[in-house]
Amino acid sequence: DNLLVQIGSRLTEHGYIKGDVVITEEGGRKSLLMIVEGSVTEYDGSGPARVALRQVGRFEFIGERPILTGAPANTVFEASEGACVALAMPRSDVLSALPLVQPVLDDHMKNLAASALFPSSTEEELIKLVEAFQEEHFSKKQRFVLEGASAKKLYVVKAGDVEAVAGKGK
């Protein structure tokens, strides 16, 4: 309980309206944000060439990859609904909490090591892979990969079932 109170005391609430930039390419290194109301869209690129990568909604996190991996933030997040509220935790607080989530990261490593994709990977390689992965959740029947489209991500299914659908989804 005391830990939750400590974490809660470090969170700040931020409000956005549709079109507001929630995280810029540089801003992704400052805080971890959890969306608590509304949604945001992640974009790659800028201007007419920009591409929407994904939509992130309630109780999902953004900004974690640059904090955890040290990699530069190379995408932009914009509020995509009328009102969007996010709770932000400063980078220093996220990093100090990492020992608390180490068992979760270890579990992800075991799952990757057991998969057919990474059987000969060293522990060091698996650690780098786990740090680069970002957990995503999909609703039933939600499409997240389209055959023939340019790949932006590698998906490893941790839980649930995935159905491959040919043609127009019939």
Side-chain angles (χ1 to χ4, degrees):
D1 289 337
N2 189 28
L3 176 62
L4 292 177
V5 170
Q6 289 176 19
I7 290 172
S9 70
R10 299 295 300 150
L11 298 173
T12 56
E13 185 175 298
H14 300 271
Y16 306 92
I17 60 171
K18 185 175 182 172
D20 282 353
V21 175
V22 177
I23 292 184
T24 62
E25 290 177 294
E26 286 192 15
R29 294 183 151 259
K30 295 179 184 173
S31 298
L32 171 69
L33 284 89
M34 180 176 72
I35 306 302
V36 293
E37 186 178 314
S39 65
V40 298
T41 302
E42 180 179 18
Y43 293 98
D44 187 19
S46 61
R50 86 176 184 167
V51 176
L53 300 176
R54 66 182 174 129
Q55 191 162 5
V56 179
R58 192 168 187 205
F59 303 126
E60 292 186 274
F61 292 91
I62 59 174
E64 73 281 2
R65 193 174 318 158
I67 289 174
L68 296 175
T69 66
N74 56 6
T75 58
V76 173
F77 289 87
E78 286 183 9
S80 53
E81 290 186 8
C84 177
V85 177
L87 295 177
M89 178 179 278
R91 181 179 196 271
S92 59
D93 290 342
V94 173
L95 294 176
S96 67
L98 280 179
L100 302 172
V101 297
Q102 191 61 49
V104 175
L105 295 175
D106 291 343
D107 184 49
H108 284 308
M109 271 187 40
K110 288 176 190 167
N111 289 337
L112 283 176
S115 78
L117 287 174
F118 309 103
S120 61
S121 298
T122 66
E123 184 173 341
E124 184 177 291
E125 292 169 332
L126 289 173
I127 289 170
K128 287 181 182 178
L129 278 169
V130 166
E131 290 173 347
F133 273 79
Q134 178 178 350
E135 190 166 312
E136 293 187 38
H137 300 265
F138 299 96
S139 59
K140 187 175 184 175
K141 302 287 183 187
Q142 182 179 353
R143 293 181 182 175
F144 59 94
V145 175
L146 181 62
E147 185 179 355
S150 176
K152 297 279 187 190
K153 299 177 184 179
L154 166 69
Y155 290 95
V156 176
V157 179
K158 179 181 172 188
D161 297 311
V162 176
E163 180 182 9
V165 180
K168 297 186 182 212
K170 297 180 179 177

